């Protein structure tokens, strides 16, 4: 059939239009294809890659226009792109918005704190239960073994949308790594790459040893599994002091069980509270249906453990553990190496899915403290080589633990810490003693108190230092009147310290000088095996002798003296009633000694101008509060009055 001429014309026109469009497309400049996306930041990191990703948040009650609280949710990622395994990873997050961290998945706080925790000045997170990150080399690039993601949930203050409460920085804390400057990606992601300082790529084909090296610290806790069964194990816990000025009295140890464990039995120590409530009404009671929970010692998630008294050392049920049962006293090794360690055993029952003898998980968030001792901050447990113990049968062999973890603790001084001892100054050239500072060891916050917490302490006759503060009012007013000094109203509050130390500059002559140190115990408990350490920045090279105590230069230091009581004089007794309790004030327990120095080794020393006074004083490891001023060479009432006052103090002490 013939095609009509009109249809022919339409088809021809359509073809011409297509050709025209094709020709125009060729003549138009071509739009370049988009460049390939840059590789992810972690691809260019040949070390440990850390990223912090803020994922969201919102305002939470109560409403406070001046300091509103907001929930925040973030993810911290730690990825091992290096050649070697990363053991016991620890990462710092520089929080800066008054954050309160409520929870963290796959991590714990490295300082031993429990959630919720204030982290507004930054915090270190440690991996748990995944503490080690394999390398790509040993896993064929398996990200599940190379990476950990920590979900963070908490509260921050003052940063509202669209602003984002990002940390100041992030970094890896593990020794041997250096981190570059953190980089921001957008407004909600921060990342950083940390490189191993010294990489020996051929040392072991990228595979590190199985355990971390044991570390040094002021105090070390060992958690050794010594017997293991399907559903329970026995652990030996050892606490040892390594710092020459460290100490614990009546120690209390606490930690967190992370997998619903509970303590069935103990030897050498005991729970502060015997409580099985959480087991009976919890999953433990459902699983161990036939167990007699009246025999269980403690089911708290965070138990507190205390030492036993010496009378239990040979108890067939609770005692007979080496280094146990010393009433919680651990001395520095400088005083007695055999008393610088404390130990106990405990039987721990486990819960599913950990019911096999190879599965033992150490507790986390360790804390230890004493009565009048330094504060200790403890890190997370790290897996170390199995400990070895002498064979109990006496054979010349050693028995290794099944598994061992080490917890390293450091002496720390927090800004909020309140001292528990204080120092007063006096000198032969001034008849007034400078007492301990007002509220040196804290003050009652009760607004109804009738004393001033801000007025400086009033100067005293030296013999008034023997009188309890509550009985000093008449002495304070009398001495102020004699010295014609004004008296504030209300009078200054006391120092509120259980122990005070007087440092008296006794003499200063051409070839040498002497000082007298006096310890006062105002508490209800005596101190056995006490020690004191005095730091004198310029005088110690000239140290000659301590006459009543055992004293020496602290090993490894050129500015500190270490003193302890001699045998028979190693007790600083508690405060006691006066001779006539209804009339006389109570009397503190005291110890006193004179210390002599030569000037030959310290040329240019200005004893009276300040070099003869301590710059730091410690009692049983606790740093004591120092006065804010030194005795001056002001005119005295009379030389006879001064000598009489100081002799009276010395004679009264000798009569104790």
């Amino acid at each position: 059939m013939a095609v009509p001429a009109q249809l022919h014309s339409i088809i021809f026109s359509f073809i011409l239009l297509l050709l025209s469009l094709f020709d125009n497309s060729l003549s138009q400049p071509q739009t370049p294809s988009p460049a390939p996306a840059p590789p992810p930041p972690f691809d260019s990191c040949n070390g440990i890659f850390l990223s912090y990703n803020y994922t969201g948040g919102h305002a939470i009650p109560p409403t406070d226009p001046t300091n509103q609280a907001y929930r925040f949710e973030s993810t911290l990622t730690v990825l091992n792109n290096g050649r070697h395994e990363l053991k016991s990873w620890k990462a710092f997050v520089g929080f800066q918005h008054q954050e309160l961290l409520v929870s963290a998945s796959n991590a714990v706080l490295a300082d031993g704190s429990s959630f919720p925790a204030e982290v507004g000045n930054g915090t270190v997170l440690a991996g748990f239960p995944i503490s080690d990150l394999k390398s790509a080399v040993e896993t064929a690039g398996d990200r599940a073994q190379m990476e950990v993601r920590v979900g963070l949930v908490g509260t921050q203050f003052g940063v509202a949308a669209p602003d984002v409460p990002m940390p100041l920085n992030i970094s890896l804390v593990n020794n041997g790594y250096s981190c570059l400057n953190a980089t921001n990606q957008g407004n909600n992601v921060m990342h950083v790459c940390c490189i191993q300082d010294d990489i020996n790529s051929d040392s072991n084909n990228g595979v590190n040893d199985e355990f971390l090296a044991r570390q040094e610290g002021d105090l070390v806790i060992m958690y050794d599994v010594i017997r293991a069964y399907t559903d329970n194990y026995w652990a030996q816990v050892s606490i040892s002091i390594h710092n020459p000025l460290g100490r614990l009295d009546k120690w209390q140890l606490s930690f967190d069980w992370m997998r619903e464990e509970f303590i069935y039995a103990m030897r050498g120590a005991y729970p502060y509270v015997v409580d099985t409530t959480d087991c009976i009404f919890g999953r433990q009671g459902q699983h161990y249906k036939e167990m007699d929970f009246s025999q269980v010692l403690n089911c708290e998630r965070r138990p507190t453990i205390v030492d036993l008294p010496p009378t239990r050392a040979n108890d067939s049920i609770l005692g007979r553990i080496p280094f146990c049962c010393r009433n919680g006293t651990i001395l520095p090794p400088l005083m007695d190496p055999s008393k610088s360690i404390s130990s106990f055993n405990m039987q721990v029952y486990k819960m599913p899915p950990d019911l096999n003898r190879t599965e033992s998980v150490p507790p986390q968030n360790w804390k230890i403290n004493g009565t009048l001792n330094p504060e200790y901050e403890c890190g997370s447990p790290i897996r170390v080589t199995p400990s070895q113990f002498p064979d109990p049968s006496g054979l010349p062999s050693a028995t290794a633990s099944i598994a061992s973890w080490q917890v390293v603790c450091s002496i720390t001084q927090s800004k909020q810490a309140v001292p528990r001892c204080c120092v007063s100054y006096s000198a032969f050239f001034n008849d007034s003693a400078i007492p301990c500072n007002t509220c040196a060891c804290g003050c009652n916050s009760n607004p109804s108190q009738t004393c001033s917490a801000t007025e400086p302490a009033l100067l005293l006759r030296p013999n008034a230092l023997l009188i309890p503060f509550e009985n000093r009012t008449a002495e304070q007013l009398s001495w102020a009147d004699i010295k014609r000094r004004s008296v504030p109203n209300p009078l200054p509050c006391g120092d509120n310290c259980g122990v005070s130390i007087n440092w008296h500059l006794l003499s200063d002559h051409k070839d040498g000088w002497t000082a007298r140190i006096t310890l006062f115990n105002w508490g209800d408990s005596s101190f056995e095996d006490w020690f004191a350490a005095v730091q004198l920045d310029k005088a110690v090279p000239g140290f000659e002798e301590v006459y009543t105590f055992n004293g020496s230069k602290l090993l490894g230091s050129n500015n500190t003296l270490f003193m302890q009581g001699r045998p028979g004089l190693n007790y600083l007794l508690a405060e006691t009633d006066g001779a006539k309790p209804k009339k006389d004030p109570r009397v503190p327990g005291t110890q006193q000694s004179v210390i002599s120095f030569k000037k030959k080794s310290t040329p240019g020393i200005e004893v009276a101008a300040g070099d003869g006074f301590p710059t730091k004083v410690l009692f049983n490891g606790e740093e004591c509060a120092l006065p804010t001023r030194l005795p001056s060479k002001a005119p005295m009432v009379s030389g006879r009055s001064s000598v009489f006052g100081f002799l009276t103090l010395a004679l009264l002490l000798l009569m104790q």
Side-chain angles (χ1 to χ4, degrees):
M1 183 176 63
V3 179
Q6 187 177 3
L7 182 58
H8 233 299
S9 176
I10 292 173
I11 293 173
F12 183 73
S13 298
F14 181 71
I15 292 172
L16 289 177
L17 178 62
L18 290 176
L19 290 173
S20 174
L21 290 174
F22 179 73
D23 183 63
N24 286 339
S25 67
L26 291 176
S27 63
Q28 293 292 328
Q30 299 295 309
T31 303
S33 58
F42 60 79
D43 276 2
S44 59
C45 176
N46 287 325
I48 309 302
F49 178 80
L50 285 81
S51 70
Y52 181 94
N53 182 16
Y54 174 81
T55 56
H58 55 82
I60 57 176
T63 301
D64 183 355
T66 61
N67 195 28
Q68 180 62 47
Y70 298 86
R71 175 188 174 93
F72 73 89
E73 298 177 16
S74 304
T75 301
L76 174 71
T77 302
V78 184
L79 171 64
N80 184 3
N81 270 352
R83 183 175 291 273
H84 302 298
E85 181 179 9
L86 176 64
K87 288 188 172 295
S88 295
W89 70 264
K90 291 186 289 186
F92 174 78
V93 180
F95 292 113
Q96 57 176 333
H97 302 292
Q98 307 175 62
E99 286 90 345
L100 182 74
L101 192 58
V102 175
S103 66
S105 63
N106 297 321
V108 294
L109 295 171
D111 65 359
S113 300
S114 299
F115 296 115
E118 295 180 0
V119 296
N121 292 322
T123 192
V124 176
L125 296 165
F128 181 85
I130 302 172
S131 60
D132 302 338
L133 299 178
K134 302 284 187 180
S135 69
V137 172
E138 56 190 331
T139 63
D142 183 359
R143 287 282 291 267
Q145 299 182 65
M146 299 163 53
E147 179 185 70
V148 63
R149 297 195 175 200
V150 180
L152 303 173
V153 177
T155 302
Q156 56 90 5
F157 290 86
V159 182
D163 295 330
V164 176
M166 292 293 289
L168 187 64
N169 65 317
I170 56 175
S171 62
L172 190 72
V173 181
N174 295 63
N175 292 332
Y177 286 86
S178 298
C179 297
L180 306 175
N181 293 328
T183 302
N184 290 320
Q185 184 176 345
N187 67 344
N188 68 328
V189 176
M190 176 182 291
H191 55 79
V192 67
C193 182
C194 303
I195 305 298
Q196 197 167 358
D197 295 335
D198 184 17
I199 301 177
N200 184 0
S201 58
D202 298 326
S203 61
N204 51 12
N205 295 324
V207 180
N208 279 346
D209 294 335
E210 185 178 356
F211 305 107
L212 286 173
R214 298 191 178 215
Q215 302 176 10
E216 290 295 325
D218 296 322
L219 181 146
V220 172
I221 302 171
M222 289 301 304
Y223 192 83
D224 297 302
V225 176
I226 55 176
R227 296 196 298 275
Y229 309 97
T230 302
D231 58 1
N232 74 92
Y233 64 88
W234 277 89
Q236 177 166 302
V237 181
S238 303
I239 310 162
S240 56
I241 297 283
H242 291 211
N243 188 299
L245 298 178
R247 182 186 174 118
L248 282 170
D249 292 285
K250 297 183 179 178
W251 57 258
Q252 292 190 349
L253 177 69
S254 58
F255 47 75
D256 286 337
W257 295 117
M258 307 302 287
R259 302 180 74 84
E260 300 181 294
E261 299 96 333
F262 59 93
I263 301 172
Y264 186 88
M266 296 187 72
R267 297 176 71 103
Y270 214 67
Y272 187 72
V273 175
V274 176
D275 184 3
T276 60
T277 305
D278 290 346
C279 283
I280 294 173
F281 294 100
R283 289 185 64 243
Q284 297 92 335
Q286 297 173 12
H287 179 75
Y288 293 102
K289 295 180 180 179
E290 304 303 321
M291 180 176 287
D292 180 5
F293 279 92
S294 67
Q295 303 299 311
V296 174
L297 287 182
N298 188 278
C299 292
E300 294 176 302
R301 184 179 186 273
R302 186 172 182 82
T304 297
I305 311 300
V306 296
D307 197 12
L308 293 175
T311 54
R312 295 286 190 171
N314 292 318
D315 190 294
S316 60
I317 298 175
L318 295 176
R320 298 184 181 176
I321 297 294
F323 309 113
C324 87
C325 314
R326 292 173 176 162
N327 219 24
T329 296
I330 309 178
L331 301 179
L334 179 64
M335 292 184 69
D336 188 341
S338 68
K339 295 182 179 180
S340 66
I341 185 171
S342 186
S343 183
F344 64 89
N345 292 358
M346 61 180 178
Q347 186 180 16
V348 179
Y349 268 79
K350 303 180 292 185
M351 288 287 290
D354 299 330
L355 301 182
N356 65 74
R357 65 180 59 197
T358 63
E359 191 70 32
S360 301
V361 180
Q364 301 288 319
N365 303 331
W366 294 74
K367 285 283 188 183
I368 191 165
N369 54 60
T371 52
L372 201 157
N373 305 121
E375 297 289 334
Y376 293 92
E377 182 178 288
C378 300
S380 298
I382 61 171
R383 185 78 179 267
V384 295
T385 54
S387 301
Q388 293 191 348
F389 306 98
D391 191 284
S393 66
L395 293 174
S397 62
T399 301
S401 65
I402 297 169
S404 296
W405 288 267
Q406 184 189 50
V407 177
V408 177
C409 306
S410 301
I411 293 176
T412 183
Q413 187 75 30
S414 67
K415 295 180 179 179
Q416 294 79 23
V418 177
R420 288 171 284 187
C421 58
C422 64
V423 177
S424 61
Y425 287 157
S426 55
F428 67 90
F429 51 77
N430 194 311
D431 54 5
S432 293
I434 299 174
C436 290
N437 297 332
T438 302
C439 300
C441 298
C443 258
N444 186 356
S445 58
N446 188 345
S448 65
Q449 65 183 12
T450 58
C451 61
S452 171
T454 57
E455 287 288 343
L458 299 180
L459 302 182
L460 297 169
R461 288 187 181 93
N463 58 338
L465 294 174
L466 268 172
I467 303 173
F469 180 81
E470 55 269 22
N471 301 105
R472 286 184 192 173
T473 302
E475 283 287 339
Q476 290 177 317
L477 297 176
S478 171
W479 192 241
D481 183 58
I482 292 172
K483 303 296 285 185
R484 297 178 182 178
R485 295 191 182 98
S486 60
V487 176
N489 186 18
L491 292 173
C493 297
D495 54 70
N496 296 316
C497 296
V499 171
S500 63
I501 299 174
N502 174 249
W503 182 269
H504 175 68
L505 194 57
L506 194 59
S507 67
D508 184 17
H509 49 87
K510 179 181 177 182
D511 297 323
W513 58 284
T514 59
R516 184 180 64 230
I517 184 171
T518 308
L519 313 179
F520 300 90
N521 182 5
W522 305 97
D524 297 327
S525 301
S526 299
F527 291 97
E528 182 182 4
D529 293 323
W530 60 267
F531 77 81
V534 177
Q535 180 177 305
L536 296 154
D537 290 342
K538 297 182 179 180
V540 170
F543 166 70
E544 184 179 26
E545 189 174 355
V546 178
Y547 291 92
T548 310
F549 307 153
N550 284 332
S552 62
K553 297 178 184 178
L554 183 66
L555 188 65
S557 172
N558 63 358
N559 66 355
T560 303
L561 297 179
F562 184 89
M563 292 169 278
Q564 59 179 309
R566 291 177 178 173
L569 296 173
N570 59 337
Y571 276 86
L572 181 58
L573 297 177
E575 188 181 56
T576 58
D577 288 331
K580 298 178 180 179
K582 293 185 178 180
K583 178 182 178 182
D584 297 337
R586 287 172 64 80
V587 179
T590 59
Q591 290 277 7
Q592 185 184 81
S593 182
V594 172
I595 310 169
S596 60
F597 299 84
K598 295 291 187 183
K599 289 186 176 179
K600 184 177 180 180
S601 302
T602 55
I605 189 170
E606 297 288 341
V607 176
D611 293 342
F613 291 92
T615 53
K616 181 184 288 188
V617 175
L618 294 94
F619 178 79
N620 282 358
E622 170 82 6
E623 185 172 346
C624 305
L626 296 178
T628 55
R629 49 184 168 163
L630 296 174
S632 64
K633 288 189 174 181
M636 298 186 292
V637 173
S638 70
R640 181 177 298 177
S641 171
S642 172
V643 172
F644 177 77
F646 292 121
L647 285 177
T648 300
L649 174 60
L651 288 171
L652 287 171
L653 291 169
L654 289 172
M655 294 170 60
Q656 298 295 315

